[in-house]
Amino acid sequence: MRWRSWDRSLLSQLTPFKATRLELGVLFAALVSFSLALTLKYSWGGWENITLRLGPDLTRRGIRVYLETSGALAAAWATLLGHRIPPGRISLLAKAPSPTVVVVAPPGSHLLRICDLLFSKKACEVIFTPTLRDLQAEYFEALHQGRPGKARWVLASGYWSFWSAVVAQVPVSLTRLIVQLWKISGPGG
Amino acid sequence: MDLPRLSAKEALILELLVARGEMYGLELVEAAGGALKRGTVYVTLGRMAEKGYVESRQVKEEGEAGLPRRLFQVTGFGVRALQVLEVGRRVMEGGTVDAVA
């Protein structure tokens, strides 16, 4: 892909050398990696506490990356990824019989983002967040008890509940949206 | 003024909330013994909140950083709606209408 003229002129002002887009990309990636490495090292006290390993997925068939670490670090990691895991749950998981396993992504965290896009804030707060909250609480409780079968069942029924709620709420939200659009586009709007 | 209309599920939820106080969705499902489904309980509660029968608040338990729990409780209007329903039931069963406290 060719550079546009203003790209070139801006680049020539910003950098003392001529660089291709690929070179700039590599430089950017290196800077991001370096920053992340520094954050990891100085915020969480070294590398020795972090172990990433591949293992069987507790809830789905297949392989999954697990973060093997102490509770506080897992909390920080989860926060960095945007997944909120109750610290209480993490410490419980950390104390679970071997191997010490922390699930990095709690179930349903991505669904909540989808809901934020599709539904109103109020609907998310009253309907979908509590639904996922119940799912996560039951799921972690089952894992803590060392019952992956129950956790799998909780996950399945929880997702079923969630999508049932979505199906039940869609007509309401859609009707509300149409009414609002009607009011806006009407003669008095 | 129109009389409030309650579906069977809404009436059941109001009865449970009046009897037991503040509850969250999963508690209601467990207390209802199969009459309420997990997938629709919060949808029903959301609609009841819009009608003014219930109100809710988020509860962040101490030391928990996860999603907040939402507790629901019946409003005064919800209590009156339930009383109206009970009076209606009594009348339909051939009883007399007592003074409602």
Side-chain angles (χ1 to χ4, degrees), chain A residues 157-174:
Chain A
S157 62
Y159 281 140
W160 175 258
S161 304
F162 176 81
W163 288 111
S164 303
V166 169
V167 168
Q169 185 61 21
V170 159
V172 179
S173 297
L174 206 62

Side-chain angles (χ1 to χ4, degrees), chain A residues 52-67:
Chain A
L52 282 173
R53 68 178 177 81
L54 291 173
D57 196 319
L58 287 176
T59 56
R60 303 182 193 97
R61 286 177 187 174
I63 299 294
R64 191 168 180 177
V65 177
Y66 285 107
L67 183 71

Side-chain angles (χ1 to χ4, degrees), chain A residues 133-134 138 168 172 176, chain B residues 38 42 47 50 64 69:
Chain A
R133 201 268 179 215
D134 289 345
E138 279 193 304
V172 179
R176 215 168 276 160
Chain B
R38 293 172 50 144
Y42 284 109
R47 286 175 196 171
E50 281 176 7
E64 264 199 8
R69 176 158 278 172

Side-chain angles (χ1 to χ4, degrees), chain A residues 37-51:
Chain A
L38 280 181
T39 311
L40 282 169
K41 183 159 178 61
Y42 291 107
S43 303
W44 300 334
W47 302 102
E48 62 274 8
N49 293 327
I50 307 169
T51 310

